[in-house]
Amino acid sequence: MVPPVHAPNQSGQTPEAFTPDSRQAWMRLVIALLIGSIGGVGMWAIVVMIPAVQAEFSATRGAVSLAFTLMMFGFGLGGVIAGRITDRFGIVAAMAISIAFLGVANVLAGLSTQLWQFVAAYFLIGLGTSATFAPLMAEASHWFERYRGLAVTIVASGNYVAGTMWPPLVSTGMQTIGWRFTHIGIGLVCVSLMTILVLVLRAQMGDDKVHDHANAAPPRVDLKLSTNTLTVLLSIASISCCVAMAMPQVHIVAYCGDLGYGVARGAEMLSLMMACGIVSRIGSGYLADKIGGIPTLLIGAVAQGFALVFYLFFDGLTSLYLISAMFGLFQGGIVPSYAIIVREAMPASEAATRVGIVIFASVFGMSFGGWVSGVIFDATGSYAAAFANGVAWNALNIGIVLTLLIRSRINAVRTGPGFAT
C-alpha cells in the first residue's frame, strides 16, 4: 500500500494526509484539465490564422508556417524549463509565469507590423503554453497511483479540448474583429480565466509536496536496454510519429482553403479532429492501464498511418470531415503513451527528466512536420507529397515501436510472468 503524502507540519499540528486517487485528487485533475484547455490556445490559433497572416504580409506558406515551428520549439524548450521550476518551486509558480507569457506574447502578436515580429511572438506564446502540458502531466502523476495512466491522459487531453473549442472561436474572431484584435482578446482571456483557476488549484493543494520517488513502484517492463538507449529510441519514434501527425493538424485549414471549401470549413474539421482526439486520448490511458504503454502506442501508430493514407485518395468535403474524425480517433493517445512507457520501463527517480526529453522530441517532430509540409507545398503546389511524407515518417515510428514490443515480450518470457505488462 502506498503511504499518503503529507503536508509539512506547522505549529506542532498534526499534518493532514493527502490520499492518491481520492476525491480531492480528482478535483485537482478537473482544475488542471481546465487550465490546459484554456492555455492550450497557443497551439491552435496560428493554424487558423495562417491564410490571413500570409495575405497580410504577402508571405509564402512556408514562411508563415515558421511561426508554428517556433511556437512548438518554445513549447518544447519551455516544458523543460517549466518542469524544473515545478520541481523546485511548485506547479503554481510555473503556471504564474505561463500566464504572464501568454498575455504579453498574444498582445505582441496582435501588434506586430512585420512577419519576423509575429514569428518571434509565437516563440514566446510557445514558452507560455508549455507549462500547461508536460509539467501538469508530471504533477498529476503524483496525485494518482491506481489510475495514473488515465489521469495523465486526461490532463494531456487539455490541449485537444483547446483544439476543439478554440479554432471556431478564433475563426469567428477573425471574421468580426480581425486576427490582430483576436490575438489581443486571447491574451486577455488567458490572463483572467487562468489566474482564477490557478488560485483555485493553489487552494486545493495547500502545502502538499510531490510524492517521494523512494516510495514509487519499480519498473514493470524489462527491455534489456539502458535508459539512455531507450530514451534515444523513444525520442526518434516520437519525432517520427509527430512529423506525420503535424500534416493534418497544422495544414488542414489551409488545405480546405486551397480546395475551395473555405477556411471556416477547415477550422470545423480541425475542431472535429481534436474532439475525437479527446476520446482516443482518454481511452488510451484506460487501455494502457490494462495492456501496457508499448502495445497501446503501437495500436495508435498503426491506426494513424491508416488514416493518413486515406488523405492521399479522398479530398471531397464529406470525405475530409470523415477522415479528420477518424484521424483524431486514431492518433489522440500516441503522445501520452510515451510518458506511460517511461514510467513503466525506467526508474521513477529519472522519469520526470526522461519524459521531458521525449516530449521535447515530439514537439520537435510537430514543429518540423508543420514547417516541412509547408515547404513541400510551396515546392509542389499540392499537399499530396506532404501527406506521402507523413506516411513514410509514420512507418519509421511503427518499426521502432514494434521492435520494443518484441523485446518486451522476449524478456518477459525469460524473466517469467509478472515482470512485464
Side-chain angles (χ1 to χ4, degrees), residues 232-234 236-238 240 395-405:
V232 170
L233 288 174
L234 290 176
I236 296 173
S238 184
S240 302
L396 174 60
N397 171 257
I398 292 173
I400 294 173
V401 179
L402 183 60
T403 300
L404 293 178
L405 180 62

Side-chain angles (χ1 to χ4, degrees), residues 138-178:
E139 186 70 22
S141 71
H142 299 303
W143 303 338
F144 293 85
E145 293 292 341
R146 182 180 178 184
Y147 300 107
R148 178 177 291 148
L150 182 61
V152 168
T153 54
I154 288 175
V155 171
S157 298
N159 72 342
Y160 274 15
V161 175
T164 302
M165 70 178 189
W166 279 111
L169 293 175
V170 172
S171 178
T172 300
M174 289 172 56
Q175 296 172 20
T176 54
I177 60 177

Side-chain angles (χ1 to χ4, degrees), residues 219-225 230 294 344-346 404-415 419-421:
R220 293 184 294 162
V221 177
D222 184 13
L223 297 172
K224 299 298 183 184
L225 296 171
L230 181 56
I294 297 177
E344 290 177 341
M346 299 186 190
L404 293 178
L405 180 62
I406 293 172
R407 289 185 67 91
S408 70
R409 296 307 185 208
I410 292 174
N411 290 312
V413 171
R414 290 175 180 173
T415 55
F419 185 85
T421 54

Side-chain angles (χ1 to χ4, degrees), residues 73-343:
F73 179 73
F75 180 77
L77 178 62
V80 178
I81 297 172
R84 292 182 65 87
I85 293 173
T86 301
D87 289 338
R88 185 168 182 179
F89 302 106
I91 189 65
V92 173
M95 292 307 309
I97 296 174
S98 170
I99 292 170
F101 268 88
L102 283 172
V104 172
N106 272 287
V107 171
L108 290 176
L111 297 178
S112 59
T113 58
Q114 299 183 48
L115 183 59
W116 71 265
Q117 296 172 348
F118 181 82
V119 171
Y122 259 90
F123 173 73
L124 298 179
I125 289 174
L127 288 175
T129 304
S130 63
T132 67
F133 194 64
L136 271 181
M137 282 197 295
E139 186 70 22
S141 71
H142 299 303
W143 303 338
F144 293 85
E145 293 292 341
R146 182 180 178 184
Y147 300 107
R148 178 177 291 148
L150 182 61
V152 168
T153 54
I154 288 175
V155 171
S157 298
N159 72 342
Y160 274 15
V161 175
T164 302
M165 70 178 189
W166 279 111
L169 293 175
V170 172
S171 178
T172 300
M174 289 172 56
Q175 296 172 20
T176 54
I177 60 177
W179 66 267
R180 294 183 180 277
F181 285 108
T182 298
H183 267 113
I184 295 173
I186 289 172
L188 295 175
V189 169
C190 287
V191 169
S192 57
L193 294 184
M194 290 178 67
T195 297
I196 295 172
L197 289 170
V198 170
L199 290 175
V200 174
L201 180 62
R202 182 180 184 277
Q204 281 286 324
M205 294 179 64
D207 293 323
D208 278 345
K209 304 298 182 183
V210 297
H211 187 70
D212 187 357
H213 287 147
N215 296 321
R220 293 184 294 162
V221 177
D222 184 13
L223 297 172
K224 299 298 183 184
L225 296 171
S226 69
T227 53
N228 287 336
T229 300
L230 181 56
T231 300
V232 170
L233 288 174
L234 290 176
S235 296
I236 296 173
S238 184
I239 291 171
S240 302
C241 75
C242 288
V243 171
M245 191 184 299
M247 175 54 232
Q249 288 189 3
V250 177
H251 290 275
I252 189 65
V253 176
Y255 184 42
C256 286
D258 293 339
L259 291 173
Y261 301 134
V263 172
R265 293 293 190 183
E268 291 171 359
M269 291 179 196
L270 179 61
S271 180
L272 177 63
M273 188 187 300
M274 295 302 100
C276 292
I278 297 169
V279 176
S280 67
R281 181 155 284 189
I282 296 175
S284 70
Y286 177 82
L287 183 63
D289 285 335
K290 298 295 183 181
I291 68 173
I294 297 177
T296 301
L297 176 58
L298 182 60
I299 291 171
V302 172
Q304 174 176 268
F306 183 75
L308 281 171
V309 170
F310 274 90
Y311 277 113
L312 286 169
F313 297 101
F314 301 95
D315 61 3
L317 182 61
T318 301
S319 298
L320 288 176
Y321 273 109
L322 292 174
I323 297 170
S324 295
M326 181 173 64
F327 185 81
L329 282 173
F330 289 166
Q331 56 81 43
I334 290 178
V335 172
S337 293
Y338 290 107
I340 295 170
I341 292 171
V342 170
R343 294 285 293 185

